Amino acid sequence: MTKMVYMFDEGNSEMKEILGGKGANLAEMTNIGLPVPYGFTISSQACNDYYNSGKRIQEEVESEILEALARLEKATGKKLGGTVNPLLVSVRSGSVFSMPGMMDTVLNLGMNDQTVEAIAHLTDNPRFAYDSYRRFIQMFSNVVLEIDVFYFEQHLEKRREAKGYHSDPEMTAEDWKEIISDYKGIVKKHIRQEFPQDPLEQLFLAIHAVFDSWNNQRAIVYRQLNKIPGHYGTAVNIQSMVFGNMGNDSGTGVAFTRNPSTGEALLYGEYLINAQGEDVVAGIRTPHPIETLQKDMPEVFSQFVEVCNRLEHHYRDMQDIEFTVEHGELFILQTRNGKRTAQAAIRIAVEMVKEGVLTQREAIGRVEPEQLNQLLHRRIDDKYQKNILAKGLPASPGAATGKVVFDPDEAEQLHIEGVKVILVRSETTPDDIHGIIASQGVVTSRGGMTSHAAVVARGMGKSCICGCEALKIDMQQQQFQVGDTVVKHLETITIDGGTGEIIVGEIPMIDPELSDEFGLLLSWADQERTIDVRANADNPEDAKKAVEFGAEGIGLCRTEHMFMEADRVPIVQQMILAETEEERKRALDFLLPMQESDFEGIFQAMQGLPVTIRLLDPPLHEFLPDKEHLAVEVAKMQILEPDSPQLADKEKLLKRVRQLHESNPMLGHRGCRLGIIYPEIYQMQATAIFNTAAALESKGITVKPEIMIPLVGHVNELKIMRQLVNDTAVAVQNKTGIPIEYTIGTMIEVPRAALTANEIAAEADFFSFGTNDLTQTTFGYSRDDAEAKFLKDYIENKILPDNPFAVLDQSGVGALMKTGIQLGKQTRPQLKTGICGEHGGEKTSIEFCCLQGLDYVSCSPYRVPLARLAAAQAAVKNELQKRKLSIN
Ligand code: ADP
Ligand code: MG
Ligand code: MG
């Protein structure tokens, strides 16, 4: 049978899967000679066996536990339940991934009516003995017998007050003795049984309870949040007790070897004199900063500093350490890699390289790419008190203050007038885009982190909170309500999209400070990565941001936003309503100079870096008013103002809107299908690109346009569009006499394109995988519908591992990408390949793209630093794997 129980000197830090993080590190510290109270660890496999056998501890495991207990008793010279020298232990949970505070621990186990007397006698400190016993009853009752601590604490407080005390240390031995008797009464009342007196029974009950705590509600939620699989189980550590509550020469505390919020290389921690483990975190007494321990216990302090240095060097990472001092003797009870903010993670990684502890490559792996998000946005200054009204999903980081508006048109209007607004909607649709652009931030009461509003806001680096269900929006009254608080139209609120917090009023904010360490770490990352990082940017501001964050080009410049600006919509509508080609051309002639100015700003911002421009993609009805709205308006006019000169126009518009209406726009007349039926549109766009390029080239500014045709499914579509673009280029060159270098490629975003990539590559200089549409067309999901209706259930019930619109589905969509690349390169070995879906900014998807040998990933400007880091991590991991393979 597999060994299930390990003494501390039988394990080491590599055995986390078996012993859990806490157990493995206790073993490691024991082996390197640190003062760790002795004990043993029951493996997490025993936990799984426990669950598999219907919550029973197998006999073999039980006898291993008893054997280990005997060894512990021998090593300490104490006996569990002994009346001369009783052994007291803690029973501590600890799984492979640290889940701070999520599972249970029991201290002082082994206390009963007899052993407490022995301890009182032995220590000559009855107060301490009774205090420890009452703590045990309270903790055991809570964790094992499931009696709420409230009953005990309420009682304790009453007694304390009755005695006129302010805090626990004032309680005497006699006081505790009385409390113990009362506590036993509380237990009996709740479970109709006496508090268990047999220490062995206590031990096994506690082990059961710790196993059970693996599946308590908060542990389950924590695992879901942090994507920790449920199959690991928790190990259980049985450790002999040391006591920080033995008097003023005793104490307990927690310290980080460096500051976990700034990263500064200074010990950071807290302690309490005459207290036991839990007291520090429980917040009953205010702990002292670790520095004052130097005064309180100079010798212990210098010894502790030495231990900290040693542990940090040993683990080569910042440590989070628990310690206890018993009669002036220091004991270490836990160490783990400390959790830290992004800022601290970066500073610590860079400084550890400077200290010679880490290599640059290792430092790259020490920062979680997703964390970088915290650093790139304005945030609320923590110095200020904030009164949180409600909390939603932190969908797009950054903080914003503005006046509440409920209507996107109004948001736009106020924005023009220079008023800062926050758009509050029950949900957002693509129609709201102009309102989002005009707002400082967006709040929705429905929808998740990948909802449309969130995606759009993240793309723009705009603060967004989604799914804030506490928010009851009343459009009629123009207000929203949370509980009893009503917030009216145009009242000021502050939102923090990094935390999901909504606050009434204005709160001061701080700008992101990008440290030198941040730049340095990313420059190291750039040396490692094998894939380029570009940005998706539709306007000069975004393009500038992208360059600032290190983008090496634009991977996707969408042109539809350019058509949606307020002053252009009427012209765009004219173009759409045109009945003749002539009429359409006239409208397009108006749009041409506008498009030229768009491209000019972007090309200039990119300073000679490549810019992939996608020609118009969405169906035309998106530029027209809503069908239902318009129908109502026309009907009203027909009755109320039948002579109005505008009626005919409106009727015409409605007719066209009806004509263009599609039952399934996602699969309708869009992408290159538009370009084929209305070639004048693409021709105008291409002319604008080439005119601008020529004008800039003549000023000595290098321009690298890459023209991208969307939604190609058959090579013939691309062939026609390519011809059109080439002809346009020739026409412009003939006119200007300036040669322009450009390439023409396509998006691969329907399965047929990937499957016939060998044919399509004959007409394409590059492929860009549009994985948003490719995911829609591969799964046959419409994203908006899927995310609004069933995807959440799918993920909760593990039908899908992740939202495929956020995390690339490697086995389906990814397989099509592989096929596309392989077939495409058969025809055109030099074919350039990239990804421009939102996946281009997601860690695991980036890793996949690196492995497939794509030339670049493209993501929103604000995710560029993240992508640079993730790409470097993927490259390092990939190389390490290759090296491993070649060794084996
Ligand atoms: P958590 O995972 O919630 O931190 P722990 O198992 O680490 O739970 O224990 C909670 C507290 O009890 C910690 O402060 C720890 O240092 C203290 N503690 C645990 N075991 C012992 C022991 N054998 N002697 C003294 N204190 C202990
Ligand atoms: Mg702990
Ligand atoms: Mg698309």
Side-chain angles (χ1 to χ4, degrees), residues 85-106:
N85 195 2
L87 173 70
L88 299 181
V89 295
S90 60
V91 179
R92 318 174 65 186
S93 56
S95 80
V96 55
F97 296 108
S98 100
M99 297 167 53
M102 294 301 130
M103 293 181 296
D104 293 325
T105 284
V106 180

PDB file of all heavy atoms in Angstrom, residues 85-106:
ATOM      1  N   ASN A  85       2.929  14.387  31.532  1.00  0.00           N
ATOM      2  CA  ASN A  85       3.481  15.352  30.572  1.00  0.00           C
ATOM      3  C   ASN A  85       2.683  15.262  29.264  1.00  0.00           C
ATOM      4  O   ASN A  85       3.109  14.637  28.299  1.00  0.00           O
ATOM      5  CB  ASN A  85       4.962  15.017  30.348  1.00  0.00           C
ATOM      6  CG  ASN A  85       5.685  16.156  29.662  1.00  0.00           C
ATOM      7  OD1 ASN A  85       5.100  17.210  29.385  1.00  0.00           O
ATOM      8  ND2 ASN A  85       6.950  15.948  29.362  1.00  0.00           N
ATOM      9  N   PRO A  86       1.517  15.884  29.227  1.00  0.00           N
ATOM     10  CA  PRO A  86       0.628  15.680  28.083  1.00  0.00           C
ATOM     11  C   PRO A  86       1.132  16.349  26.805  1.00  0.00           C
ATOM     12  O   PRO A  86       1.715  17.434  26.860  1.00  0.00           O
ATOM     13  CB  PRO A  86      -0.683  16.319  28.529  1.00  0.00           C
ATOM     14  CG  PRO A  86      -0.339  17.211  29.655  1.00  0.00           C
ATOM     15  CD  PRO A  86       0.945  16.759  30.245  1.00  0.00           C
ATOM     16  N   LEU A  87       0.883  15.648  25.700  1.00  0.00           N
ATOM     17  CA  LEU A  87       1.202  16.201  24.384  1.00  0.00           C
ATOM     18  C   LEU A  87      -0.017  16.960  23.872  1.00  0.00           C
ATOM     19  O   LEU A  87      -1.131  16.447  23.901  1.00  0.00           O
ATOM     20  CB  LEU A  87       1.542  15.058  23.408  1.00  0.00           C
ATOM     21  CG  LEU A  87       1.740  15.457  21.943  1.00  0.00           C
ATOM     22  CD1 LEU A  87       3.026  16.249  21.750  1.00  0.00           C
ATOM     23  CD2 LEU A  87       1.758  14.216  21.040  1.00  0.00           C
ATOM     24  N   LEU A  88       0.224  18.169  23.430  1.00  0.00           N
ATOM     25  CA  LEU A  88      -0.852  18.905  22.760  1.00  0.00           C
ATOM     26  C   LEU A  88      -0.418  19.131  21.315  1.00  0.00           C
ATOM     27  O   LEU A  88       0.756  19.365  21.049  1.00  0.00           O
ATOM     28  CB  LEU A  88      -1.102  20.245  23.443  1.00  0.00           C
ATOM     29  CG  LEU A  88      -1.534  20.165  24.910  1.00  0.00           C
ATOM     30  CD1 LEU A  88      -1.767  21.572  25.467  1.00  0.00           C
ATOM     31  CD2 LEU A  88      -2.815  19.333  25.058  1.00  0.00           C
ATOM     32  N   VAL A  89      -1.366  19.033  20.404  1.00  0.00           N
ATOM     33  CA  VAL A  89      -1.018  19.192  18.989  1.00  0.00           C
ATOM     34  C   VAL A  89      -1.980  20.162  18.303  1.00  0.00           C
ATOM     35  O   VAL A  89      -3.075  20.426  18.781  1.00  0.00           O
ATOM     36  CB  VAL A  89      -1.068  17.836  18.222  1.00  0.00           C
ATOM     37  CG1 VAL A  89      -0.019  16.880  18.733  1.00  0.00           C
ATOM     38  CG2 VAL A  89      -2.464  17.242  18.278  1.00  0.00           C
ATOM     39  N   SER A  90      -1.513  20.638  17.139  1.00  0.00           N
ATOM     40  CA  SER A  90      -2.431  21.336  16.240  1.00  0.00           C
ATOM     41  C   SER A  90      -2.744  20.387  15.102  1.00  0.00           C
ATOM     42  O   SER A  90      -1.932  19.537  14.750  1.00  0.00           O
ATOM     43  CB  SER A  90      -1.817  22.627  15.709  1.00  0.00           C
ATOM     44  OG  SER A  90      -0.631  22.367  14.993  1.00  0.00           O
ATOM     45  N   VAL A  91      -3.933  20.501  14.548  1.00  0.00           N
ATOM     46  CA  VAL A  91      -4.343  19.715  13.385  1.00  0.00           C
ATOM     47  C   VAL A  91      -4.615  20.729  12.283  1.00  0.00           C
ATOM     48  O   VAL A  91      -5.579  21.486  12.353  1.00  0.00           O
ATOM     49  CB  VAL A  91      -5.592  18.877  13.711  1.00  0.00           C
ATOM     50  CG1 VAL A  91      -6.040  18.068  12.500  1.00  0.00           C
ATOM     51  CG2 VAL A  91      -5.312  17.958  14.886  1.00  0.00           C
ATOM     52  N   ARG A  92      -3.727  20.764  11.291  1.00  0.00           N
ATOM     53  CA  ARG A  92      -3.732  21.871  10.324  1.00  0.00           C
ATOM     54  C   ARG A  92      -3.989  21.387   8.902  1.00  0.00           C
ATOM     55  O   ARG A  92      -3.390  20.429   8.446  1.00  0.00           O
ATOM     56  CB  ARG A  92      -2.389  22.608  10.355  1.00  0.00           C
ATOM     57  CG  ARG A  92      -1.846  22.835  11.735  1.00  0.00           C
ATOM     58  CD  ARG A  92      -0.442  23.431  11.700  1.00  0.00           C
ATOM     59  NE  ARG A  92      -0.394  24.768  11.125  1.00  0.00           N
ATOM     60  CZ  ARG A  92       0.747  25.419  10.886  1.00  0.00           C
ATOM     61  NH1 ARG A  92       1.905  24.848  11.126  1.00  0.00           N
ATOM     62  NH2 ARG A  92       0.701  26.630  10.371  1.00  0.00           N
ATOM     63  N   SER A  93      -4.836  22.087   8.209  1.00  0.00           N
ATOM     64  CA  SER A  93      -5.087  21.774   6.812  1.00  0.00           C
ATOM     65  C   SER A  93      -3.962  22.346   5.960  1.00  0.00           C
ATOM     66  O   SER A  93      -3.200  23.189   6.405  1.00  0.00           O
ATOM     67  CB  SER A  93      -6.405  22.409   6.375  1.00  0.00           C
ATOM     68  OG  SER A  93      -6.348  23.797   6.631  1.00  0.00           O
ATOM     69  N   GLY A  94      -3.887  21.926   4.705  1.00  0.00           N
ATOM     70  CA  GLY A  94      -2.887  22.496   3.790  1.00  0.00           C
ATOM     71  C   GLY A  94      -2.846  21.736   2.483  1.00  0.00           C
ATOM     72  O   GLY A  94      -2.423  20.601   2.449  1.00  0.00           O
ATOM     73  N   SER A  95      -3.325  22.365   1.401  1.00  0.00           N
ATOM     74  CA  SER A  95      -3.350  21.668   0.117  1.00  0.00           C
ATOM     75  C   SER A  95      -2.183  22.125  -0.747  1.00  0.00           C
ATOM     76  O   SER A  95      -1.391  22.965  -0.351  1.00  0.00           O
ATOM     77  CB  SER A  95      -4.665  21.944  -0.610  1.00  0.00           C
ATOM     78  OG  SER A  95      -4.596  23.200  -1.230  1.00  0.00           O
ATOM     79  N   VAL A  96      -2.100  21.545  -1.940  1.00  0.00           N
ATOM     80  CA  VAL A  96      -0.945  21.829  -2.796  1.00  0.00           C
ATOM     81  C   VAL A  96      -0.863  23.309  -3.155  1.00  0.00           C
ATOM     82  O   VAL A  96       0.201  23.904  -3.176  1.00  0.00           O
ATOM     83  CB  VAL A  96      -0.941  20.911  -4.044  1.00  0.00           C
ATOM     84  CG1 VAL A  96      -2.235  21.009  -4.811  1.00  0.00           C
ATOM     85  CG2 VAL A  96       0.235  21.223  -4.951  1.00  0.00           C
ATOM     86  N   PHE A  97      -2.016  23.931  -3.413  1.00  0.00           N
ATOM     87  CA  PHE A  97      -2.019  25.381  -3.641  1.00  0.00           C
ATOM     88  C   PHE A  97      -2.464  26.057  -2.363  1.00  0.00           C
ATOM     89  O   PHE A  97      -3.413  25.598  -1.725  1.00  0.00           O
ATOM     90  CB  PHE A  97      -3.004  25.745  -4.753  1.00  0.00           C
ATOM     91  CG  PHE A  97      -2.621  25.173  -6.067  1.00  0.00           C
ATOM     92  CD1 PHE A  97      -3.334  24.112  -6.618  1.00  0.00           C
ATOM     93  CD2 PHE A  97      -1.515  25.664  -6.754  1.00  0.00           C
ATOM     94  CE1 PHE A  97      -2.960  23.569  -7.835  1.00  0.00           C
ATOM     95  CE2 PHE A  97      -1.141  25.125  -7.975  1.00  0.00           C
ATOM     96  CZ  PHE A  97      -1.865  24.076  -8.513  1.00  0.00           C
ATOM     97  N   SER A  98      -1.804  27.147  -2.014  1.00  0.00           N
ATOM     98  CA  SER A  98      -2.195  27.778  -0.758  1.00  0.00           C
ATOM     99  C   SER A  98      -3.574  28.421  -0.932  1.00  0.00           C
ATOM    100  O   SER A  98      -3.857  29.082  -1.923  1.00  0.00           O
ATOM    101  CB  SER A  98      -1.131  28.776  -0.312  1.00  0.00           C
ATOM    102  OG  SER A  98      -1.503  30.085  -0.631  1.00  0.00           O
ATOM    103  N   MET A  99      -4.436  28.143   0.020  1.00  0.00           N
ATOM    104  CA  MET A  99      -5.796  28.700  -0.010  1.00  0.00           C
ATOM    105  C   MET A  99      -6.000  29.374   1.339  1.00  0.00           C
ATOM    106  O   MET A  99      -6.737  28.865   2.183  1.00  0.00           O
ATOM    107  CB  MET A  99      -6.828  27.576  -0.204  1.00  0.00           C
ATOM    108  CG  MET A  99      -6.681  26.854  -1.531  1.00  0.00           C
ATOM    109  SD  MET A  99      -7.614  25.305  -1.632  1.00  0.00           S
ATOM    110  CE  MET A  99      -9.248  25.780  -1.176  1.00  0.00           C
ATOM    111  N   PRO A 100      -5.384  30.523   1.534  1.00  0.00           N
ATOM    112  CA  PRO A 100      -5.298  31.108   2.877  1.00  0.00           C
ATOM    113  C   PRO A 100      -6.651  31.260   3.555  1.00  0.00           C
ATOM    114  O   PRO A 100      -7.556  31.892   3.022  1.00  0.00           O
ATOM    115  CB  PRO A 100      -4.650  32.476   2.645  1.00  0.00           C
ATOM    116  CG  PRO A 100      -4.438  32.628   1.186  1.00  0.00           C
ATOM    117  CD  PRO A 100      -4.836  31.381   0.496  1.00  0.00           C
ATOM    118  N   GLY A 101      -6.754  30.641   4.716  1.00  0.00           N
ATOM    119  CA  GLY A 101      -7.952  30.804   5.537  1.00  0.00           C
ATOM    120  C   GLY A 101      -9.193  30.088   5.038  1.00  0.00           C
ATOM    121  O   GLY A 101     -10.251  30.212   5.630  1.00  0.00           O
ATOM    122  N   MET A 102      -9.067  29.341   3.944  1.00  0.00           N
ATOM    123  CA  MET A 102     -10.264  28.739   3.359  1.00  0.00           C
ATOM    124  C   MET A 102     -10.639  27.438   4.062  1.00  0.00           C
ATOM    125  O   MET A 102     -11.789  27.050   4.104  1.00  0.00           O
ATOM    126  CB  MET A 102     -10.050  28.460   1.865  1.00  0.00           C
ATOM    127  CG  MET A 102      -9.877  29.704   1.048  1.00  0.00           C
ATOM    128  SD  MET A 102     -11.315  30.770   1.188  1.00  0.00           S
ATOM    129  CE  MET A 102     -10.533  32.300   1.569  1.00  0.00           C
ATOM    130  N   MET A 103      -9.614  26.738   4.593  1.00  0.00           N
ATOM    131  CA  MET A 103      -9.920  25.475   5.268  1.00  0.00           C
ATOM    132  C   MET A 103      -9.625  25.618   6.764  1.00  0.00           C
ATOM    133  O   MET A 103      -9.291  26.688   7.224  1.00  0.00           O
ATOM    134  CB  MET A 103      -9.101  24.370   4.631  1.00  0.00           C
ATOM    135  CG  MET A 103      -9.533  24.102   3.201  1.00  0.00           C
ATOM    136  SD  MET A 103      -8.601  22.794   2.453  1.00  0.00           S
ATOM    137  CE  MET A 103      -6.985  23.472   2.418  1.00  0.00           C
ATOM    138  N   ASP A 104      -9.766  24.531   7.492  1.00  0.00           N
ATOM    139  CA  ASP A 104      -9.773  24.657   8.948  1.00  0.00           C
ATOM    140  C   ASP A 104      -8.525  24.139   9.641  1.00  0.00           C
ATOM    141  O   ASP A 104      -7.801  23.302   9.113  1.00  0.00           O
ATOM    142  CB  ASP A 104     -10.995  23.929   9.499  1.00  0.00           C
ATOM    143  CG  ASP A 104     -12.279  24.628   9.069  1.00  0.00           C
ATOM    144  OD1 ASP A 104     -12.252  25.857   8.988  1.00  0.00           O
ATOM    145  OD2 ASP A 104     -13.275  23.941   8.806  1.00  0.00           O
ATOM    146  N   THR A 105      -8.309  24.642  10.840  1.00  0.00           N
ATOM    147  CA  THR A 105      -7.199  24.246  11.692  1.00  0.00           C
ATOM    148  C   THR A 105      -7.696  24.250  13.134  1.00  0.00           C
ATOM    149  O   THR A 105      -8.499  25.096  13.510  1.00  0.00           O
ATOM    150  CB  THR A 105      -6.030  25.247  11.523  1.00  0.00           C
ATOM    151  OG1 THR A 105      -5.373  24.985  10.289  1.00  0.00           O
ATOM    152  CG2 THR A 105      -5.025  25.147  12.641  1.00  0.00           C
ATOM    153  N   VAL A 106      -7.231  23.275  13.918  1.00  0.00           N
ATOM    154  CA  VAL A 106      -7.581  23.233  15.346  1.00  0.00           C
ATOM    155  C   VAL A 106      -6.290  23.277  16.152  1.00  0.00           C
ATOM    156  O   VAL A 106      -5.351  22.545  15.858  1.00  0.00           O
ATOM    157  CB  VAL A 106      -8.351  21.929  15.694  1.00  0.00           C
ATOM    158  CG1 VAL A 106      -8.691  21.909  17.179  1.00  0.00           C
ATOM    159  CG2 VAL A 106      -9.613  21.824  14.849  1.00  0.00           C
TER     160      VAL A 106
END
